[in-house]
Amino acid sequence: MRRRLRILLGLAAALAAAAAAAAPAAPQEAPRDEPAAVRWLPFAPPAFRRALAEDRLILLVLDVPWSPAPAEAERTLWGDPRVRAALAEGYVTVRERADLRPELARRYPAPGWPAATLLLPNGDPLYYEPQDKPPQRLAFGPMPAERLASLLSEAWAFYRTRREEAVSLARERAAAAAKGAVPEGGPLEDALVWSLRDHLKGQFDREHRYFGGPPRLPETDLVSFMLKVSAEVEQPYREMALAALDTLLEHLVDEDGGMYRMALGLDWENPQKEKLLDRNARLLETLALAYRVTGRRVYRDRGLALGRLLAEKFGMPQGAFAAALCPACPEGRDETVLSGPNGLAAAALIRAGAAFGDEGLVKRGLDAARFLLEHRYRKGRGVARAVVGGAAVPPSLLVLDDLAGAAWAFVSAYEVSGEARWLDAARDVARVALSNLKADGTGALADTLTDPRAPGPLRTPLFPLRPNAEMARALVRIFYHNGSKIYRDGAREILRAFAGDRVREHRDMPAFALAAYEYLQPAMFAHVVDPGPRARADALRRAALGVGYPFVLVHTWRLPDDREELLRVGLSITGEPSLALRLGMLRSRQIVDPAGVSALAFDLTEKVAKQKEAIRRQKHPETVEPPPKRRRGGGEP
């Protein structure tokens, strides 16, 4: 019997295609009495109390509203009498939305939607031991109903006859998982960034002009990182980044300007046509960066199209955005409002609008940031997760993704507007994250608050790399604007926590590389002196955000409040708004015309490049090769 269990469970852990390709199970006769419909419970104490009281296993199902698969499963799986009979025999059935409960999605991952995991009554995953392989969680995606019914019956029989063995194995795996969840730290230094750059360079497929696959995923963080490091040495990193971006635009972006979720095939076949807000927001910010550093009009045109799509098709009341455009959704979109993706969209629209010179995009981004500030953010408490059907999800769940997205939105709103309330909100969100989510023994932030009384893996903190990296990027900017060391130290501790060799194998390594670059490399700092009128100061801020240098921060000095600080840093007080740029130890002259900001930035980068070259020649006089020429951004090559 145990050998039979191993075979069936091993098959179930594969994707549905693999399951379908296996030898078919013997037909089973449907029960004569129609079993009752599946009764789904939320992932909450009553479900676990029932499982413990009746000594039943738990079937946990996670789905998302933008995928058509859960509706299909409702008909073909949960409506099948054989599956219902197996569930009625030994299971408590629990279902949640993965987008509203990201902490569950991270701790109970499974292939495809709906994503299913079998749990012990206490919430620990049920494990099995394939022959000559390490123990595996029993997690699976869609499969034929007869196979699922057989799997459920076999797993229940195994638990009923070998309960102690199942519990012992789950405890061992839980301990191992808790140990493996702690990130591997290492030194944070320039050499790490250049090592990651070269590691990514080695992953570029010149034949297909892209990174990774299958499936083909939108590698926007990777493209942005390669574009930023190309400021030091243009080739071959800029060439690779732009080739990958062009390939992505060709294969995964439709005529409306929106990007599909992914393509399953190596040659971009079988695109998954849902358009998720967070992925499209990241693409928009990458297009804005590509336009700033190359001046190629095609990136501006594609970015403007995407910005219009976000505003018109994703747009919701009060400045918010829907979570997805999806063919299977009512009215063609999932109208859930998720705080983290809304923050990313707000920041992307602000920065893209400034880069493209489109005031409408900037305004739409500020509207989205204002929605978060007025409806989702509470001082000292962070950012609430979501709005579904016009009603807010209870704000008790603190999610790092939401805090990082909101912090990025608020600091972007500050840089483009100069209004102190945005910076105050960004600082407060950052403090909430650092105070509540930093676990003992690591500088990284947990994905949410953990409770030692919670069921199963929820007792163990997880440290997801991408939202940690995005929070570190926001912390770096807040430090530059605010000067408080707690933000700089927070960013450093986060990045050091992940800086070990293990980061090279992580799927979200480019997000970490991007954050490490911005922590370690000097920013071009734009000082805007703002005595009024407001319109001219706004124009200077937007012009600064659009210059060709890849890492720009815009700080506003308000008069008369900042008069003493302004004089301390050596800026002049004039009767009209003005701007000066600083890069490293060099500072530009102070100008009042927004049209001159791009040339001012170019001249400053040229001076810094010549200064670096002079220092290099002093150290290595035998080297006579000139540095690579830099091209002034903002125009067609």
Side-chain angles (χ1 to χ4, degrees):
M1 176 178 175
R2 185 167 182 177
R3 182 174 181 275
R4 182 185 174 203
L5 173 68
R6 285 175 175 164
I7 294 172
L8 285 171
L9 297 186
L11 289 171
L15 295 170
Q28 297 185 20
E29 187 176 328
R32 293 182 181 178
D33 295 330
E34 183 75 12
V38 178
R39 180 192 172 207
W40 297 104
L41 299 176
F43 192 96
F48 292 93
R49 284 197 293 267
R50 182 187 169 199
L52 289 166
E54 300 178 14
D55 198 22
R56 286 172 170 260
L57 293 175
I58 295 172
L59 171 67
L60 171 63
V61 173
L62 300 175
D63 56 28
V64 286
W66 46 258
S67 172
E72 178 69 11
E74 195 69 38
R75 183 180 63 82
T76 61
L77 291 182
W78 318 129
D80 187 278
R82 294 163 296 185
V83 173
R84 289 183 179 183
L87 291 172
E89 183 181 13
Y91 290 86
V92 172
T93 47
V94 174
R95 183 162 62 186
E96 290 281 4
R97 282 179 48 171
D99 56 342
L100 301 184
R101 299 294 303 270
E103 82 285 11
L104 298 182
R106 286 195 172 105
R107 288 162 176 78
Y108 300 106
W113 302 109
T117 306
L118 298 188
L119 311 179
L120 296 173
N122 68 350
D124 285 334
L126 179 63
Y127 284 85
Y128 68 100
E129 295 182 277
Q131 195 166 8
D132 301 323
K133 291 183 180 179
Q136 302 291 319
R137 275 189 322 113
L138 188 46
F140 49 89
M143 64 176 62
E146 64 183 42
R147 191 165 299 281
L148 176 58
S150 177
L151 165 63
L152 293 169
S153 296
E154 290 288 345
W156 169 240
F158 170 65
Y159 174 71
R160 199 174 59 230
T161 58
R162 298 178 180 270
R163 183 179 289 99
E164 291 184 5
E165 182 180 338
V167 171
S168 176
L169 183 57
R171 286 174 180 166
E172 292 175 8
R173 302 312 303 166
K179 184 177 180 180
V182 178
E184 181 187 69
L188 182 62
E189 53 194 9
D190 286 344
L192 173 64
V193 173
W194 310 137
S195 172
L196 296 177
R197 176 196 66 184
D198 293 336
H199 179 76
L200 289 169
K201 174 186 171 185
Q203 296 180 1
F204 184 71
D205 181 347
R206 291 194 173 275
E207 178 183 355
H208 294 93
R209 294 168 58 83
Y210 203 68
F211 297 90
R216 293 293 195 186
L217 300 172
E219 299 288 356
T220 50
D221 288 335
L222 196 161
V223 171
S224 293
F225 171 66
M226 296 296 256
L227 284 173
K228 294 210 172 197
V229 298
S230 72
E232 295 293 326
V233 182
E234 287 197 9
Q235 301 295 344
Y237 307 103
R238 181 172 295 185
E239 175 188 349
M240 290 180 178
L242 296 178
L245 180 56
D246 292 343
T247 300
L248 181 63
L249 293 173
E250 177 184 357
H251 292 289
L252 218 58
V253 176
D254 70 3
E255 62 277 5
D256 290 334
M259 183 176 65
Y260 298 144
R261 184 164 58 96
M262 64 179 179
L264 296 182
L266 189 63
D267 291 326
W268 301 91
E269 67 269 17
N270 198 6
Q272 304 300 289
K273 294 193 174 182
E274 300 85 14
K275 298 175 184 175
L276 305 185
L277 177 62
D278 57 345
R279 298 191 183 191
N280 278 274
R282 291 188 177 99
L283 174 62
L284 178 59
E285 195 154 336
T286 300
L287 287 169
L289 174 62
Y291 175 67
R292 285 170 43 217
V293 300
T294 69
R296 294 184 185 178
R297 196 167 186 84
V298 62
Y299 299 131
R300 182 179 186 272
D301 293 342
R302 300 301 288 267
L304 287 172
L306 178 52
R308 287 192 297 270
L309 180 78
L310 290 177
E312 296 170 5
K313 297 292 183 67
F314 282 86
M316 297 278 288
Q318 299 179 307
F321 294 104
L325 303 182
C326 36
C329 299
E331 307 300 326
R333 68 178 185 177
D334 168 18
E335 296 195 344
T336 306
V337 177
L338 299 171
S339 294
N342 267 259
L344 297 178
L349 285 162
I350 288 169
R351 295 182 181 280
F356 303 150
D358 189 296
E359 190 66 27
L361 293 188
V362 173
K363 182 180 182 303
R364 188 62 183 86
L366 286 170
D367 288 343
R370 194 173 298 111
F371 166 80
L372 290 175
L373 184 71
E374 295 176 357
H375 299 282
R376 301 282 77 207
Y377 161 74
R378 294 293 180 271
K379 186 174 181 179
R381 297 178 60 186
V383 182
R385 175 64 181 161
V387 175
V388 181
V393 173
S396 57
L397 186 64
L398 200 63
V399 179
L400 177 59
D401 307 66
D402 298 327
L403 299 177
W408 191 239
F410 295 159
V411 78
S412 299
Y414 167 73
E415 290 193 38
V416 82
S417 71
E419 294 181 19
R421 62 171 178 156
W422 296 114
L423 185 57
D424 292 342
R427 292 165 52 200
D428 183 63
V429 168
R431 283 196 300 267
V432 168
L434 294 172
S435 301
N436 292 279
L437 298 183
K438 186 186 294 185
D440 294 337
T442 175
L445 304 178
D447 63 335
T448 188
L449 294 171
T450 53
D451 183 351
R453 301 164 298 176
L458 290 180
R459 298 186 296 269
T460 300
L462 294 184
F463 306 94
L465 180 52
R466 172 176 264 172
N468 265 277
E470 289 175 341
M471 180 57 80
R473 292 183 71 195
L475 288 169
V476 168
R477 289 180 180 269
I478 294 169
F479 164 70
Y480 273 121
H481 292 306
N482 176 260
S484 176
K485 292 199 306 180
I486 65 169
Y487 306 111
R488 181 197 62 191
D489 294 348
R492 183 181 66 244
E493 290 175 15
I494 289 171
L495 295 171
R496 279 182 175 175
F498 291 97
D501 290 338
R502 196 193 305 171
V503 75
R504 288 173 175 77
E505 307 306 319
H506 200 288
R507 179 185 63 188
D508 292 327
M509 182 263 279
F512 169 84
L514 192 59
Y517 170 88
E518 291 188 354
Y519 178 85
L520 292 166
Q521 300 305 305
M524 178 177 286
F525 212 105
H527 297 272
V528 176
V529 181
D530 186 0
R534 176 67 180 275
R536 177 62 64 88
D538 282 347
L540 287 167
R541 282 185 281 266
R542 285 152 175 72
L545 284 172
V547 302
Y549 195 76
F551 182 24
V552 181
L553 296 106
V554 181
H555 185 78
T556 297
W557 303 91
R558 293 281 188 180
L559 292 176
D561 295 349
D562 297 327
R563 181 184 181 87
E564 291 186 9
E565 284 293 307
L566 196 68
L567 295 174
R568 186 181 62 80
V569 298
L571 294 173
S572 301
I573 298 175
T574 61
E576 57 184 330
S578 60
L579 174 144
L581 299 175
R582 177 170 58 81
L583 182 58
M585 300 300 294
L586 295 182
R587 194 176 72 217
S588 74
R589 69 186 188 280
Q590 213 163 322
I591 65 173
V592 298
D593 185 1
V597 173
S598 180
L600 194 70
F602 181 80
D603 292 341
L604 184 61
T605 55
E606 285 290 289
K607 289 179 181 178
V608 171
K610 289 178 181 178
Q611 186 184 66
K612 286 182 178 180
E613 177 62 13
I615 294 172
R616 185 181 69 83
R617 287 175 179 273
Q618 285 181 351
K619 292 182 178 180
H620 307 283
E622 72 281 1
T623 304
V624 295
E625 289 185 13
K629 286 190 175 182
R630 299 172 182 269
R631 182 169 47 78
R632 193 184 300 260
E636 193 76 9

